[in-house]
Amino acid sequence: MAMRIRELAAQAGTTTRTLRYYEAQGLLPTGRSANGYRVYDEHHVRLVREIRSLQAIGFSLQDVRPFVECLLAGHESGDDCPASVDVYHRKLAYLDRHIAELRDVRDRLSERLADLGDAPPPRCELLPTGPESDTRGDKQ
């Protein structure tokens, strides 16, 4: 069943602006009717849902491209092509690196807190204390 851009946006859960952007990026090929309107079908709904689901887990549009190309080539799933699997591997390696970096930062922060022990935090001489530190601006 042929549909226009508003119908595709509604079925795919997105906006017409997003669909036009995907088209401009070469991710959403479209045909045109005799009067020049964009024409879509269920295959386009599937493409847009694939793009959006991959973006929802942190993939960029560049990362999404191999999955879309795989679907456009007639494969049942965007995961069926080696280029898509390569993207998964690259994304996992990227996440593993960043998780390791965050663990390192967390460990260093925990060590600093442990070094402080149960002692009360030191007073900072740069911060005013007492009645002269009243920030309301009204002196007594």
Side-chain angles (χ1 to χ4, degrees):
M1 175 179 94
M3 64 183 90
R4 296 194 20 205
I5 195 166
R6 287 189 196 282
E7 296 165 306
L8 174 61
Q11 284 195 29
T14 191
T15 64
T16 58
R17 182 178 179 179
T18 297
L19 296 177
R20 288 185 188 101
Y21 182 73
Y22 292 164
E23 182 183 351
Q25 296 302 306
L27 294 170
L28 186 62
T30 183
R32 298 279 181 161
S33 64
N35 61 4
Y37 289 133
R38 292 171 176 89
V39 179
Y40 302 98
D41 60 24
E42 289 301 317
H43 184 69
H44 292 97
V45 174
R46 187 162 177 231
L47 282 175
V48 174
R49 286 181 178 161
E50 179 82 357
I51 294 167
R52 291 180 50 75
S53 71
L54 290 167
Q55 284 188 298
I57 58 173
F59 284 48
S60 69
L61 286 182
Q62 191 60 33
D63 292 335
V64 166
R65 192 169 301 283
F67 296 88
V68 170
E69 290 170 355
C70 191
L71 287 172
L72 291 173
H75 293 274
E76 187 65 27
S77 169
D79 299 341
D80 289 345
C81 297
S84 301
V85 175
D86 287 344
V87 172
Y88 281 141
H89 286 294
R90 280 195 312 270
K91 188 67 167 182
L92 278 175
Y94 167 83
L95 291 171
D96 288 342
R97 280 191 311 274
H98 286 281
I99 288 169
E101 290 170 6
L102 288 171
R103 280 190 181 130
D104 182 52
V105 169
R106 185 186 188 288
D107 290 346
R108 287 186 283 150
L109 179 59
S110 292
E111 287 171 12
R112 290 184 83 161
L113 281 173
D115 289 345
L116 294 175
D118 292 331
R123 288 185 54 158
C124 180
E125 298 302 322
L126 297 177
L127 297 176
T129 58
E132 67 276 4
S133 67
D134 189 358
T135 58
R136 293 177 295 180
D138 55 327
K139 301 251 181 186
Q140 297 184 13

